């Protein structure tokens, strides 16, 4: 009886350990900083403005100026099938972004999904402003 219980426990644990590893945007180190006066960030001077920054995160960054005046930074890697590392694109106006591979769409104000097949929010990074510079990190 104890032997059967041990085998059943081992089977249950092995099944639980076989979860999908590609369901989430991978964790990578992000350490971006730039002066807010840099012309590349001009669209961030107004609420609803967004910019794409390549070379950081998994597939780049999207930095967005929230309506309340704060900033949000997201990884461009689509959380829908993140193992594909599909880079999401800004829509016009830049209040939403879209995964060109799947058509999934997210709201940039909070990163929430707004169009299927998206069900997970965008991966968000910390944003700090100091001495007229923007810092994005995790």
């Amino acid at each position: 009886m104890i032997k059967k219980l041990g085998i059943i426990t081992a089977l249950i644990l092995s099944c639980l350990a076989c979860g999908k590893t590609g369901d989430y945007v991978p964790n990578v180190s992000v350490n971006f900083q730039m002066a807010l006066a840099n012309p590349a960030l001009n669209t961030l001077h107004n609420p609803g403005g967004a910019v794409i920054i390549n070379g950081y995160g998994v597939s780049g960054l999207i930095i967005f100026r929230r309506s309340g005046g704060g900033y949000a930074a997201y990884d461009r890697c689509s959380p829908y099938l993140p193992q594909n590392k599909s880079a999401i694109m800004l829509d016009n106006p830049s209040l939403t972004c879209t995964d060109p591979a799947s058509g999934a769409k997210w709201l940039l104000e909070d990163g929430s999904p707004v169009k299927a097949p998206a069900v997970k929010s965008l991966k968000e990074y910390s944003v700090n402003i100091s001495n007229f510079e923007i810092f994005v990190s995790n």
Side-chain angles (χ1 to χ4, degrees):
M1 180 67 175
I2 294 176
K3 190 174 186 179
K4 286 183 183 180
L5 184 59
I7 292 172
I8 292 172
T9 303
L11 285 173
I12 291 172
L13 290 175
S14 67
C15 289
L16 292 175
C18 293
K20 295 180 182 178
T21 58
D23 283 350
Y24 296 95
V25 175
N27 289 323
V28 297
S29 180
V30 174
N31 191 15
F32 169 79
Q33 95 180 54
M34 186 179 284
L36 284 169
N38 187 312
L41 302 181
N42 278 348
T43 56
L44 295 180
H45 295 297
N46 297 312
V51 295
I52 290 176
I53 305 291
N54 292 313
Y56 295 87
V58 176
S59 299
L61 300 174
I62 291 179
I63 303 175
F64 177 75
R65 179 76 181 263
R66 290 184 164 139
S67 59
Y71 297 88
Y74 305 103
D75 202 297
R76 285 185 66 203
C77 182
S78 173
Y80 177 73
L81 300 177
Q83 62 272 20
N84 296 343
K85 297 183 181 175
S86 177
I88 55 179
M89 303 299 293
L90 291 174
D91 295 335
N92 189 7
S94 60
L95 301 176
T96 57
C97 58
T98 302
D99 177 357
S102 68
K105 192 177 289 268
W106 293 266
L107 184 64
L108 289 173
E109 189 70 33
D110 62 3
S112 62
V114 293
K115 182 181 176 195
V119 292
K120 294 179 184 164
S121 294
L122 296 172
K123 180 175 185 124
E124 189 168 4
Y125 296 113
S126 296
V127 178
N128 292 303
I129 306 296
S130 178
N131 295 326
F132 303 104
E133 288 196 326
I134 189 165
F135 298 89
V136 178
S137 62
N138 55 351

